[in-house]
Amino acid sequence: MRKATLRGAALLVGLSGYGFSMAVMVRAGLGLDPWDVFHQGLARHTGMTIGVASAVVGVAVLLAWVPLRNRPGIGTIANVIVIAVTVDAALWVLPTPTSLPVRIAMMVGAVVFNAISTVLYIGAALGPGPRDGLMTGLDVRTGLSVRLVRTSIEATVLTVGWLLGGTVGVGTVLYAFGIGPLVQLLLRITPKRVLAVSGWASVAEASDLGSGELGVDPADVEDVVGEHAGQPDGAGPVPETRGHDLQLAGCERQRAGVHALANARDHVVGARRELAADDHHGRVE
């Protein structure tokens, strides 16, 4: 019960934090992540709020799960509802700054807070966001790499969102290149005993395979975060995971480790056989 409560709390705090950071980025006006560029552009042409646009897109993406045979979790539904409500509520109370230094500070702070929120909601492991499920579902059904699928989807929504009037700018670039390393940093300072019982368990397992230190590859984190977002499931050119991507990355690392151990064992066995053969020939002579 206690574990379930903690996971539920992590999910709600993470999704709420994501929605709030999304609103701060909107108010900063320096650029949004790909999915939010699309949400903002859609909102400008339909009269919907950004939160409602995000929820509508989330539901539409969930429909695409049907042919992909994905199964939503409680976190999937919460992703759609909590982020939509939070972003609209935050936009209602947040002022629009006019000072460039303040806007820059808001943008940077939003990306950092977004990374913290991502670690929390993925760590809850209660189901992927709609956009995450779309990405990983297409990966499984098409056989294409997660990175290729993610990049294609995000490039498409970014382009469409920009054409619709969504904000693309330095913030978009900052998010793309900053979210992965920030999540990596947070995972490094999080006790591995905590990661081991969370949605980031594959990261902890992969790190144990090597030196024993949490050496998370930024590329793996980005794949996971990728959906990010957006929420938390779709967020940026960087990856929105998330959890699925890290699991895939962890599996690949585990396979690599197993193959390396197997090769080392074969070399040792081969060497022993050669020594035994030489010894036998020596005795015969």
Side-chain angles (χ1 to χ4, degrees):
M1 174 63 77
R2 182 171 178 274
K3 183 178 179 181
T5 300
L6 290 175
R7 292 172 65 189
L11 175 68
L12 292 177
V13 172
L15 293 178
S16 296
Y18 187 87
F20 180 78
S21 65
M22 175 178 163
V24 174
M25 284 189 277
V26 172
R27 285 289 182 250
L30 295 175
L32 304 172
D33 63 79
W35 278 101
D36 284 338
V37 170
F38 178 61
H39 298 151
Q40 187 182 56
L42 184 63
R44 288 181 174 178
H45 286 270
T46 61
M48 294 186 291
T49 63
I50 293 180
V52 172
S54 173
V56 170
V57 172
V59 172
V61 172
L62 278 176
L63 294 177
W65 280 31
V66 177
L68 296 176
R69 298 180 182 177
N70 284 357
R71 293 183 179 181
I74 186 173
T76 307
I77 307 304
N79 181 295
V80 175
I81 299 173
V82 176
I83 291 179
V85 173
T86 303
V87 68
D88 279 348
L91 286 173
W92 186 66
V93 300
L94 286 173
T96 301
T98 56
S99 170
L100 182 59
V102 174
R103 294 169 63 195
I104 293 175
M106 289 178 67
M107 185 69 225
V108 174
V111 174
V112 173
F113 194 52
N114 191 286
I116 296 173
S117 300
T118 297
V119 170
L120 287 173
Y121 92 78
I122 292 179
L126 291 174
R131 301 160 189 77
D132 282 333
L134 174 64
M135 177 182 68
T136 54
L138 287 173
D139 165 61
V140 172
R141 297 301 173 185
T142 65
L144 299 175
S145 71
V146 173
R147 187 173 294 276
L148 176 59
V149 172
R150 186 199 70 229
T151 300
S152 299
I153 293 175
E154 292 180 349
T156 299
V157 296
L158 176 62
T159 300
V160 174
W162 176 67
L163 292 174
L164 290 174
T167 305
V168 176
V170 65
T172 306
V173 178
L174 175 64
Y175 186 91
F177 290 95
I179 193 69
L182 282 172
V183 171
Q184 177 192 21
L185 174 62
L186 291 170
L187 292 178
R188 282 181 179 278
I189 64 178
T190 301
K192 287 199 289 185
R193 65 177 181 278
V194 175
L195 296 178
V197 294
S198 72
W200 297 100
S202 58
V203 174
E205 293 173 1
S207 67
D208 288 338
L209 199 58
S211 62
E213 298 179 355
L214 186 56
V216 185
D217 188 335
D220 294 341
V221 172
E222 289 184 354
D223 283 340
V224 182
V225 175
E227 166 187 262
H228 181 264
Q231 321 227 45
D233 89 283
V238 159
E240 236 167 42
T241 98
R242 316 130 175 304
H244 292 296
D245 289 346
L246 281 183
Q247 289 174 355
L248 292 173
C251 290
E252 292 301 323
R253 287 187 178 184
Q254 290 177 345
R255 292 193 189 102
V258 171
H259 290 323
L261 291 174
N263 290 335
R265 179 197 62 190
D266 291 341
H267 284 306
V268 172
V269 173
R272 287 179 177 175
R273 287 177 178 174
E274 291 180 3
L275 289 174
D278 290 342
D279 181 63
H280 175 71
H281 288 308
R283 289 179 180 178
V284 172
E285 292 176 357

